[in-house]
Amino acid sequence: PQVNSLGFETRRNLLNEIQTANKNPDIKAIVITGSDHSSAFSAGADITEFNATGEFQSPSLHELIDVLEGVEKPTVAAIKGVALGGGLELALACKYRVSTESAKVGLPEVHLGIIPGAGGTQRLPRVTQDVKFSIGAITSGRMIKAQEALGVNIIDDVCPKGEDLDEFAVKFAEGKTSASADELAGRNLAKRTVEGNVEEMNALCDAALERLPAPAMGGEAAHGCVEAIKASFDPTKSFEECMKTEMDVFMNLLSNSEQGKARRHAFFAERLATAPPKGSPKVDISSKTKVGVIGAGTMGSGIATCFLRAGYSVTLVDVNSSGLERGTKIVGRNIEQDVKRGRASQAKAEANIARLTPSTDLEALAGVDMVVEAV
């Protein structure tokens, strides 16, 4: 709920509200915004729903977006926080988009080993009219700040700092109620084409494929992104055919890519590690458990700090005596910060730092239970 992930209940309720508003002749425009309890417009799909068959409870995000895009009234996405993945794809189905100055948008699906699957690879090139930008944004999965998004037409206006976004979006929508049917139809990205020289755009895609990691070297999803983007400017394909290309690539990666499965495993594992579910068994970590860290640089000293905080005894090894001294001081400062920030008592901090053994001799690691290499 905090990030408005587009799970079944959210999709169903949003679809109902859009259809109700669209049928009501007294409603002249529709604004979609993140609720007060949320920090985001939407951080995207609920990936716990992902499975190898790609089947989602109806309405799917595709069905929701099709209905929203088909509304003939002005529709405005009011973006605060982030609009990522399916959240941006939903926003792109609106006729207009406004945001706060601090908002960020993006299509980060490549980090999960898949491609945008609800029109992102097709609508982003159409709204920006910039294939090179679209390739870079989608294959990197990076977040795009509001001002940059404004410059490439993803965002139509930015709410000035200090003003209320919802009020700003409503005023913006009111200003579009006099727009002609042709103007509103022109804002429907499904009816737009990507303008430009097809040969040049194909060359941009080919150049990107050369730069990206090979499919066998972790680049399966990025290559899939480019394959789908290529369809967006293919003059022989209808929008529906372009969307089918995107879905075919998406489903192939979702069902068959071991890289994608590994990326999604890591995604969930990282979140589970930082926020274990209620009722998880507590692990008894004995101070007798010994960990070795090789390398006392920024990374090594940070890793050593984490183990000390968790109750382990740590032997920190660096063959460079000055580097070891510097790393030991970093660990000490980290532990001192815990006291200043109220994360640990003075006694706890002193006990943590007492379990650190610095050494320039690799033989000091002979008795440890685990070694982390961070040279």
Side-chain angles (χ1 to χ4, degrees):
Q2 291 81 9
V3 294
N4 279 329
S5 60
L6 296 169
F8 168 67
E9 288 295 336
T10 303
R11 297 194 303 270
R12 183 182 66 175
N13 291 327
L14 187 53
L15 179 67
N16 179 63
E17 294 296 333
I18 291 168
Q19 291 175 325
T20 300
N22 193 35
K23 291 175 184 176
N24 188 336
D26 294 330
I27 292 176
K28 305 302 181 186
I30 300 168
V31 174
I32 300 177
T33 185
S35 56
D36 290 340
H37 70 261
S38 170
S39 61
F41 176 80
S42 173
D46 179 358
I47 70 169
T48 61
E49 294 184 330
F50 285 17
N51 57 60
T53 66
E55 294 177 358
F56 294 87
Q57 280 184 283
S58 183
S60 67
L61 186 54
H62 277 263
E63 292 168 328
L64 172 61
I65 285 174
D66 286 345
V67 169
L68 176 58
E69 199 163 46
V71 173
E72 295 181 352
K73 300 174 181 182
T75 50
V76 180
I79 301 170
K80 67 175 180 179
V82 296
L84 300 176
L88 179 56
E89 289 171 313
L90 181 73
L92 290 173
C94 291
K95 303 292 190 293
Y96 307 94
R97 290 156 295 281
V98 299
S99 78
T100 60
E101 289 184 344
S102 60
K104 295 177 182 178
V105 302
L107 296 167
E109 287 86 348
V110 69
H111 297 305
L112 296 175
I114 52 177
I115 70 170
T121 65
Q122 304 308 307
R123 291 185 177 89
L124 192 66
R126 284 170 167 80
V127 73
T128 62
Q129 292 295 310
D130 190 334
V131 168
K132 184 177 182 180
F133 173 87
S134 299
I135 292 170
I138 295 173
T139 58
S140 68
R142 70 182 180 90
M143 289 203 278
I144 304 161
K145 294 180 180 180
Q147 286 300 325
E148 184 184 2
L150 181 66
V152 292
N153 301 317
I154 298 173
I155 300 295
D156 297 291
D157 206 352
V158 175
C159 177
K161 192 172 183 178
E163 292 190 24
D164 182 80
L165 175 64
D166 289 356
E167 293 179 5
F168 180 83
V170 168
K171 288 178 183 177
F172 183 96
E174 288 173 342
K176 300 298 180 182
T177 56
S178 59
S180 67
D182 286 344
E183 179 183 341
L184 292 176
R187 302 289 303 186
N188 185 333
L189 298 180
K191 296 180 180 180
R192 284 191 195 177
T193 56
V194 181
E195 303 296 333
N197 184 293
V198 175
E199 287 186 8
E200 291 178 358
M201 290 187 285
N202 271 316
L204 287 171
C205 290
D206 293 340
L209 292 174
E210 289 293 322
R211 291 193 306 271
L212 292 168
M217 300 298 290
E220 287 179 352
H223 279 250
C225 291
V226 177
E227 181 183 345
I229 291 169
K230 267 192 170 185
S232 71
F233 57 82
D234 186 336
T236 69
K237 289 187 175 182
S238 66
F239 183 76
E240 290 71 26
E241 289 170 326
C242 292
M243 287 294 294
K244 183 179 185 305
T245 297
E246 179 186 85
M247 182 49 63
D248 287 346
V249 176
F250 175 88
M251 284 306 308
N252 180 51
L253 289 168
L254 183 65
S255 303
N256 302 317
S257 172
E258 292 300 317
Q259 293 174 17
K261 293 173 186 176
R263 287 180 182 275
R264 291 188 292 280
H265 170 82
F267 177 87
F268 286 115
E270 287 174 359
R271 279 145 189 80
L272 193 62
T274 55
K278 290 181 179 179
S280 296
K282 291 186 177 181
V283 180
D284 181 22
I285 300 172
S286 170
S287 61
K288 294 179 182 178
T289 303
K290 297 178 180 179
V291 174
V293 178
I294 305 178
T298 303
M299 181 182 291
S301 57
I303 293 170
T305 302
C306 290
F307 277 112
L308 291 170
R309 285 170 174 160
Y312 291 87
S313 294
V314 176
T315 300
L316 180 63
V317 174
D318 197 307
V319 295
N320 183 302
S321 58
S322 60
L324 179 65
E325 183 180 356
R326 184 169 58 250
T328 303
K329 287 180 179 178
I330 291 173
V331 175
R333 285 199 298 270
N334 290 341
I335 298 298
E336 288 172 6
Q337 285 296 317
D338 291 343
V339 177
K340 292 178 181 178
R341 294 172 180 171
R343 295 175 179 171
S345 65
Q346 185 63 43
K348 175 72 172 176
E350 290 174 0
N352 286 345
I353 201 67
R355 291 195 305 277
L356 176 67
T357 303
S359 178
T360 57
D361 186 0
L362 287 172
E363 292 295 326
L365 301 172
V368 303
D369 302 295
M370 178 173 74
V371 177
V372 178
E373 182 276 310
V375 175

